[in-house]
Amino acid sequence: MSKENTDKKMFERYEFRNIHMEEISQAAEIEKICFPPNEACTYKHMEERIKKAKELFLVAVDRDTGKIVGFLNGLATNREHLTDDFFEDADVHEAEGRNIMLLGLDVLPEYRCQGLARELMRQYLEREKQKGRKRVVLTCLPDKIRMYEKFGFEDHGIGESVWGGEAWYEMSSILNE
């Protein structure tokens, strides 16, 4: 199947858009499914992020069910590195910040391995590039480094975050010089 046909099928099956306030519970539930308890964002933190920066959420909605099946979320800042306070305090969000700290890429297990995470990331990076953002920063565990490299991120080694008691690798994608 050609890339064009694959892309067309992706858009036929999913709607990509910003999150709605009434979808906080869905997002929090998906987070609990996708991350272990020590790493998952709580309902309270998810609600605060959505209230502060809903424009920095990109959701994929299954057109057949009307439910969110995956999403990306982050906060804007002028800081250069992702530290644990971004996970806990939505007040660090600077709406006009030149960088985005990605706080989660969540895709429900039954929707994985279909290119959905790649499409969410592609759209998110393009959208933030168009807004004039400089770079997008994320942290991941070693088993996800290769995936993010395929999405265009560069590995910078162990970062400052110890969220959930883990050693996280910091990665970034340059959008605008």
Side-chain angles (χ1 to χ4, degrees), residues 3 11 15 20 25 29 57 62 67 72 74 78 81 93 101 112 124 129 136 142 160 170:
K3 180 175 176 358
F11 286 96
E15 175 189 4
H20 298 151
S25 292
E29 195 57 38
F57 276 75
D62 185 317
K67 299 289 185 193
L72 261 172
N78 286 315
H81 299 284
H93 173 64
M101 300 296 151
R112 292 180 186 161
Y124 198 93
K129 181 178 183 171
V136 174
E160 296 176 35
E170 187 169 280

Side-chain angles (χ1 to χ4, degrees), residues 23-68:
E23 295 170 325
I24 294 168
S25 292
Q26 275 188 75
E29 195 57 38
I30 292 168
E31 180 86 357
K32 283 199 283 189
I33 292 167
C34 293
F35 288 94
N38 62 314
E39 298 170 16
C41 176
T42 65
Y43 179 93
K44 177 181 174 259
H45 289 135
M46 187 69 70
E47 180 181 38
E48 290 170 0
R49 283 183 204 169
I50 293 171
K51 284 180 177 176
K52 285 276 186 190
K54 70 179 180 180
E55 73 282 0
L56 291 176
F57 276 75
L58 177 64
V59 300
V61 177
D62 185 317
R63 292 185 188 277
D64 291 337
T65 66
K67 299 289 185 193
I68 296 173

Side-chain angles (χ1 to χ4, degrees), residues 10-175:
M10 185 75 64
F11 286 96
E12 286 172 356
R13 183 162 185 204
Y14 304 107
E15 175 189 4
F16 296 92
R17 61 168 171 74
N18 287 342
I19 197 162
H20 298 151
M21 291 303 295
E22 63 272 12
E23 295 170 325
I24 294 168
S25 292
Q26 275 188 75
E29 195 57 38
I30 292 168
E31 180 86 357
K32 283 199 283 189
I33 292 167
C34 293
F35 288 94
N38 62 314
E39 298 170 16
C41 176
T42 65
Y43 179 93
K44 177 181 174 259
H45 289 135
M46 187 69 70
E47 180 181 38
E48 290 170 0
R49 283 183 204 169
I50 293 171
K51 284 180 177 176
K52 285 276 186 190
K54 70 179 180 180
E55 73 282 0
L56 291 176
F57 276 75
L58 177 64
V59 300
V61 177
D62 185 317
R63 292 185 188 277
D64 291 337
T65 66
K67 299 289 185 193
I68 296 173
V69 298
F71 67 92
L72 261 172
N73 76 102
L75 296 174
T77 183
N78 286 315
R79 290 166 43 191
E80 299 289 323
H81 299 284
L82 201 159
T83 52
D84 291 343
D85 56 331
F86 284 99
F87 295 105
E88 299 174 308
D89 184 5
D91 286 336
V92 298
H93 173 64
E94 301 170 67
E96 301 303 317
R98 67 182 176 267
N99 300 317
I100 300 294
M101 300 296 151
L102 275 185
L103 302 176
L105 170 57
D106 301 59
V107 174
L108 287 171
E110 61 270 31
Y111 290 87
R112 292 180 186 161
C113 301
Q114 300 172 32
L116 188 54
R118 176 180 288 113
E119 183 59 27
L120 279 163
M121 187 64 77
R122 185 194 70 73
Q123 286 191 37
Y124 198 93
L125 295 176
E126 183 58 33
R127 182 179 80 177
E128 295 310 313
K129 181 178 183 171
Q130 295 303 317
K131 291 179 184 176
R133 306 282 189 194
K134 180 180 171 192
R135 60 195 282 248
V136 174
V137 178
L138 61 82
T139 56
C140 69
L141 295 175
D143 64 323
K144 298 293 185 200
I145 291 172
R146 184 77 183 110
M147 177 184 79
Y148 286 115
E149 286 175 337
K150 288 179 182 178
F151 294 167
F153 283 78
E154 181 182 344
D155 178 15
H156 303 293
I158 300 283
E160 296 176 35
S161 177
V162 292
W163 183 252
E166 302 281 357
W168 297 90
Y169 285 77
E170 187 169 280
M171 302 185 76
S172 68
S173 177
I174 304 298
L175 303 178

